[in-house]
Amino acid sequence: MGVGFAVGVLGVLILSHAAYFTIQYRSLLKITEEQFSGPPINVVMELIAGLVLCMWAALTVPGKFLSILPQSDENQVVALPANLDFMIFNHRGKTLPSSMDAKFK
Amino acid sequence: MCRNSVAAVLCDTAASAFRVGGRSVCRWRIYVYGTKSLVSSKRREIRREKAMASRDESSVPRKQSSDVADEISTFNAENMQNNAKIIYYSRTFMSIIGGVIAGILGFTGLTGFIVYFLVMAITSVGIAAKAGFSVLPYFNSWNQILIDGFLGGLLSFVLFWTFAYDFVHIF
């Protein structure tokens, strides 16, 4: 999480540097009175690098995917709530298939 | 507990509305007095469905088949929500970054929206890679990975696109 966050910040810094360079490029074009047709090639390279870094950060920072199948390993752990006064056992869960290898957490 | 008829009787709902185990859960517990007949008829129905499914061999997307137990589809809802939340965060962040890039490059008009669709397509590929290119342990269908939330970041994209364009090219 820390590494991904740092990579994301680095990507945003690269993007802001590219923006700053483009501003400077435009002011240079204003001096020489040319039209802005496109940013220079190194700005495009910086933007692609920033995009790749931010993509990597966007995929790793929010967290891992968790399995949704009830038979997978990490879903077998059973946690009883701390307040035992309101626990009910005679409910419709008896119609669900019961796996006896559930582990108690 | 109140049991006064053969039909479904609502019991201890107030108890369930309290916080249980640190998470606020609101579950309505319905006690059916003659529950055995209902369960057995449901099992007959499921066996009929299983026979029909094996006959024409089409898989219903939300059902899982297991040899030992009946085919009642249960998914871990909390993990489904977690996965959907991760996809939403990733897409939102990439829409913002795509907007900044479109603004810096100086796109105006429809070419900017082409940048948005390109960035969203790359994000879809990235999310599919994160899920290991197989849909099953994490999602229900490919639509949730590839298509859901595709246009959700469009407004954020346009906002940051105009912001970056103004910042770089106008001011």
Side-chain angles (χ1 to χ4, degrees):
Chain A
M1 161 83 192
V3 176
F5 198 67
V7 168
V9 168
L10 185 64
V12 169
L13 283 181
I14 290 180
L15 286 182
S16 49
H17 176 261
Y20 179 67
F21 195 84
T22 311
I23 296 174
Q24 277 191 328
Y25 180 69
R26 275 192 69 98
S27 58
L28 178 69
L29 287 186
K30 270 188 205 134
I31 294 175
T32 61
E33 293 190 3
E34 287 169 13
Q35 283 290 73
F36 177 81
S37 62
I41 189 70
N42 49 350
V43 169
V44 176
M45 287 292 116
E46 273 186 38
L47 286 181
I48 292 177
L51 177 68
V52 167
L53 287 181
C54 287
M55 170 82 61
W56 196 84
L59 291 178
T60 51
V61 166
K64 295 169 58 71
F65 283 144
L66 298 176
S67 168
I68 66 174
L69 300 176
Q71 285 97 7
S72 72
D73 279 338
E74 66 267 13
N75 286 343
Q76 301 280 13
V77 180
V78 173
L80 288 182
N83 187 3
L84 295 178
D85 292 338
F86 300 107
M87 288 189 59
I88 304 120
F89 294 106
N90 184 20
H91 54 77
R92 286 182 297 178
K94 68 169 78 100
T95 66
L96 289 175
S98 71
S99 56
M100 295 310 293
D101 51 350
K103 296 184 274 291
F104 177 65
K105 176 163 79 168
Chain B
M1 275 205 283
C2 30
R3 275 184 196 171
N4 50 11
S5 71
V6 181
V9 177
L10 205 62
C11 296
D12 82 332
T13 57
S16 309
F18 284 103
R19 295 184 70 87
V20 176
R23 277 181 286 179
S24 67
V25 178
C26 195
R27 289 202 197 101
W28 296 86
R29 310 238 181 241
I30 300 183
Y31 289 85
V32 180
Y33 189 79
T35 180
K36 272 194 194 149
S37 57
L38 287 179
V39 170
S40 57
S41 67
K42 172 109 179 113
R43 288 195 185 179
R44 257 182 269 130
E45 181 187 81
I46 287 174
R47 279 203 201 98
R48 241 180 281 133
E49 266 182 334
K50 199 174 181 175
M52 284 195 290
S54 61
R55 229 181 289 142
D56 55 8
E57 285 202 289
S58 65
S59 66
V60 183
R62 284 199 68 96
K63 276 196 182 273
Q64 323 181 68
S65 62
S66 61
D67 293 331
V68 182
D70 288 337
E71 295 173 17
I72 303 176
S73 66
T74 53
F75 292 117
N76 194 345
E78 188 182 324
N79 289 355
M80 282 177 76
Q81 267 186 334
N82 174 60
N83 297 348
K85 191 178 66 167
I86 289 175
I87 290 187
Y88 176 70
Y89 285 167
S90 301
R91 283 198 190 274
T92 307
F93 183 61
M94 286 316 297
S95 314
I96 293 176
I97 296 296
V100 170
I101 288 179
I104 293 177
L105 286 175
F107 288 136
T108 58
L110 281 181
T111 48
F113 289 103
I114 292 178
V115 170
Y116 174 72
F117 285 115
L118 209 63
V119 167
M120 279 294 111
I122 296 175
T123 309
S124 294
V125 171
I127 293 175
K130 180 175 178 166
F133 290 109
S134 77
V135 72
L136 232 206
Y138 303 121
F139 295 101
N140 263 341
S141 66
W142 276 107
N143 282 352
Q144 284 180 344
I145 302 179
L146 299 178
I147 299 181
D148 269 359
F150 205 82
L151 296 179
L154 189 63
L155 291 182
S156 306
F157 170 82
V158 171
L159 175 69
F160 279 88
W161 177 19
T162 51
F163 182 63
Y165 187 88
D166 291 346
F167 190 69
V168 171
H169 297 281
I170 299 183
F171 295 121

